[in-house]
Amino acid sequence: MRIKTDLCVIGAGSGGLSVAAGAVQIGARVVLLEGGRMGGDCLNYGCVPSKALIAAGKHAHAMKTGAAFGVAPVEPVVDFAKAKDHVHSVIRKIEPHDSVERFESLGVRVIQEFGSFISPSEVQAGDTVIEARRFVVATGSSPFVPPIPGLDSVPYETNETIFDSRERPEHLLIIGGGPIGMEMAQAHSRLGSKVTVLEGLKALGRSHPDHAAIVLQQLRSEGITIIEDAMATKIEGEKGAVTITTADEKVIQGTDLLVAVGRKSNLEKLDLEAAGIERHRTGIKVDASLKTTNRRVYAIGDVAGAAQFTHVAGYHASVIVKSALFGLPSKARQDHIPSATYTDPEIAEVGLTEEAARKKYGGKVEVVSFDYGENDRALAEGLPVGQVRVVVAGSKPVGASIVGAQAGEMIHLWSMAIANGLKMSAFANMIAPYPTLGEANKRAAGAFFSKRLFNNPTVERIVRFVQRF
């Protein structure tokens, strides 16, 4: 069977679904290819199930930590299988939004097969050949499994399998101290597992060091063992008895193993060479408009080698809809894309670090901050540990890092400011309801102006002069 269409989208994860839905609703003919599960990694193996398991862990943790509020602590009785039932119930509630039936009702032609290029303008999916004016590759990423000796003979989990396991690990070993590893470490610990994390470099190493230290201290206080600079060199054993040996000859034993060292782009089935599409170390080579070396093919999200977040794929979708369907110039930016790690406390970041800002802007850079311990809502909630930290160049924020409760919710304003070139005065002019954690953002901006207004001889002279009249 042969099909001619305006747009062929390969991959029904977050980015592919956003492109398909947007394109068909503004009049394009769209074919969507997906050989796996609709909704991709985010719905089935990533964002959704991980946050559902984290929520279960928070409920268990709350039962042990209420003494300061006059609530007697009790040891929670955790039914691990029912916690996983909660995870899958959340997936089922969201599934209809990403389903074949919904997209077909919108007018998208959905073919449940993997797509592979057979020429610069054709893709084959099963027994169907699709010829399209434009293609969008949105095949996402999957867990990277490092070539550690012995790993291929030892049972292990990745994020694609761990949410299906209904038996609580007695002692979970996690290789990888990034966001996925640390989120799963805390969730499983709070649900009753002993947890040990091994990280070859520094845990949460991409976050601001001071903010990472706050999170790591909390995780350790909850009983999680975190071993840094521990490169795994050998793994052996079986289910229930796993042993990891590190480069410095430490031996760590546990019952179960989770590998969470990173992600790799899903390129294997695409046959990019047939379409004249170049790739690089982390994914498909694209320009600022997300076009590949084949000018009729775009790549978005994880497979484009960008920051591997669901919201990046969604943002990329909006960029290419303008370009591919309206013919308008449209380029993807990186400076306003936030990230969040959903440990407790959370870490959220956007824009430039202080070091990167100083390289770009020189002496115009300063850093202002505000601590959660000075926020009335944080004190009322018993959540005084945290900080809003903002990097300012001239009068504009160019980066922000937040550690603390709801950091992922609070980073939104700084992303908006950077995206729209707002000045710090926009935050000073903002009115935040009292008492909210969000006031901390305004107070951080206030710290920027305090340096200029208070104990300033020029300001004092002006005030004294005005008071004469």
Side-chain angles (χ1 to χ4, degrees), residues 74-94:
V74 296
E75 193 65 28
V77 178
V78 176
D79 186 327
F80 194 77
K82 286 189 176 179
K84 289 297 182 71
D85 288 342
H86 163 67
V87 169
H88 289 281
S89 73
V90 175
I91 294 173
R92 286 194 300 272
K93 289 173 183 175
I94 300 173

Side-chain angles (χ1 to χ4, degrees), residues 306-367:
Q308 294 176 329
F309 307 122
T310 295
H311 49 277
V312 172
Y315 165 59
H316 283 177
S318 67
V319 170
I320 66 168
V321 164
K322 296 176 187 176
S323 176
L325 300 178
F326 290 103
L328 299 173
S330 185
K331 295 182 179 181
R333 294 170 53 184
Q334 301 293 328
D335 60 335
H336 65 313
I337 295 175
S339 64
T341 299
Y342 298 96
T343 47
D344 180 14
E346 296 178 358
I347 296 180
E349 297 168 305
V350 66
L352 300 176
T353 63
E354 180 183 355
E355 180 182 7
R358 292 195 185 282
K359 286 182 180 178
K360 184 173 182 178
Y361 296 104
K364 297 180 180 180
V365 173
E366 62 182 291
V367 177

Side-chain angles (χ1 to χ4, degrees), residues 12-13 34-53 87-88 91 95 98 114 139 141-143 158-164 180 183-184 258 263 266 310:
E34 177 54 70
R37 298 174 67 175
M38 295 287 287
D41 185 84
C42 180
L43 172 61
N44 298 293
Y45 317 114
C47 318
V48 171
S50 64
K51 303 313 163 283
L53 193 68
V87 169
H88 289 281
I91 294 173
E95 274 178 338
D98 294 352
F114 291 106
T139 50
S141 64
S142 54
T158 67
N159 73 291
E160 290 187 349
T161 61
I162 196 165
F163 299 109
D164 290 329
I180 295 174
E183 288 177 3
M184 289 297 94
L258 170 64
R263 313 278 300 170
N266 292 329
T310 295

Side-chain angles (χ1 to χ4, degrees), residues 90-362:
V90 175
I91 294 173
R92 286 194 300 272
K93 289 173 183 175
I94 300 173
E95 274 178 338
H97 185 267
D98 294 352
S99 66
V100 172
E101 293 76 16
R102 175 174 180 263
F103 277 80
E104 288 181 339
S105 74
L106 294 174
V108 177
R109 181 159 185 175
V110 182
I111 299 175
Q112 293 181 274
E113 298 279 359
F114 291 106
S116 179
F117 284 98
I118 57 174
S119 79
S121 61
E122 296 171 304
V123 162
Q124 183 158 353
D127 59 1
T128 303
V129 173
I130 302 96
E131 181 181 348
R133 294 175 59 84
R134 299 285 187 273
F135 292 89
V136 177
V137 179
T139 50
S141 64
S142 54
F144 171 68
V145 179
I148 303 171
L151 181 58
D152 56 353
S153 60
V154 175
Y156 63 88
E157 307 277 6
T158 67
N159 73 291
E160 290 187 349
T161 61
I162 196 165
F163 299 109
D164 290 329
S165 174
R166 295 174 59 80
E167 184 176 336
R168 179 173 58 205
E170 180 181 338
H171 184 179
L172 180 62
L173 304 178
I174 300 177
I175 298 178
I180 295 174
M182 303 316 290
E183 288 177 3
M184 289 297 94
Q186 191 173 40
H188 281 81
S189 175
R190 289 180 168 187
L191 292 171
S193 296
K194 182 179 179 180
V195 179
T196 300
V197 180
L198 289 84
E199 166 56 46
L201 298 172
K202 298 299 178 185
L204 298 177
R206 294 187 179 183
S207 297
H208 187 279
D210 293 346
H211 290 185
I214 290 172
V215 174
L216 296 178
Q217 181 180 356
Q218 175 61 33
L219 268 59
R220 287 183 169 118
S221 75
E222 294 182 19
I224 299 169
T225 301
I226 302 169
I227 307 173
E228 299 177 294
D229 300 311
M231 193 70 68
T233 56
K234 183 173 70 173
I235 301 176
E236 52 192 338
E238 57 188 6
K239 177 74 172 178
V242 179
T243 300
I244 301 175
T245 303
T246 64
D248 57 357
E249 298 186 350
K250 289 180 182 175
V251 177
I252 300 96
Q253 295 181 322
T255 61
D256 297 81
L257 175 63
L258 170 64
V259 177
V261 297
R263 313 278 300 170
K264 62 181 180 64
S265 298
N266 292 329
L267 303 175
E268 293 79 9
K269 295 181 173 67
L270 290 169
D271 197 0
L272 298 174
E273 293 77 10
I277 298 172
E278 294 181 15
R279 55 180 293 177
H280 51 61
R281 186 178 61 85
T282 59
I284 294 175
K285 182 179 179 181
V286 296
D287 62 15
S289 64
L290 302 174
K291 285 183 179 179
T292 70
T293 48
N294 179 338
R295 307 308 290 171
R296 69 171 68 218
V297 181
Y298 297 81
I300 66 173
D302 291 7
V303 77
Q308 294 176 329
F309 307 122
T310 295
H311 49 277
V312 172
Y315 165 59
H316 283 177
S318 67
V319 170
I320 66 168
V321 164
K322 296 176 187 176
S323 176
L325 300 178
F326 290 103
L328 299 173
S330 185
K331 295 182 179 181
R333 294 170 53 184
Q334 301 293 328
D335 60 335
H336 65 313
I337 295 175
S339 64
T341 299
Y342 298 96
T343 47
D344 180 14
E346 296 178 358
I347 296 180
E349 297 168 305
V350 66
L352 300 176
T353 63
E354 180 183 355
E355 180 182 7
R358 292 195 185 282
K359 286 182 180 178
K360 184 173 182 178
Y361 296 104

Side-chain angles (χ1 to χ4, degrees), residues 396-415:
K396 295 181 178 181
V398 295
S401 177
I402 304 175
V403 61
Q406 298 185 34
E409 307 291 339
M410 292 177 54
I411 201 69
H412 298 177
L413 285 178
W414 299 107
S415 175

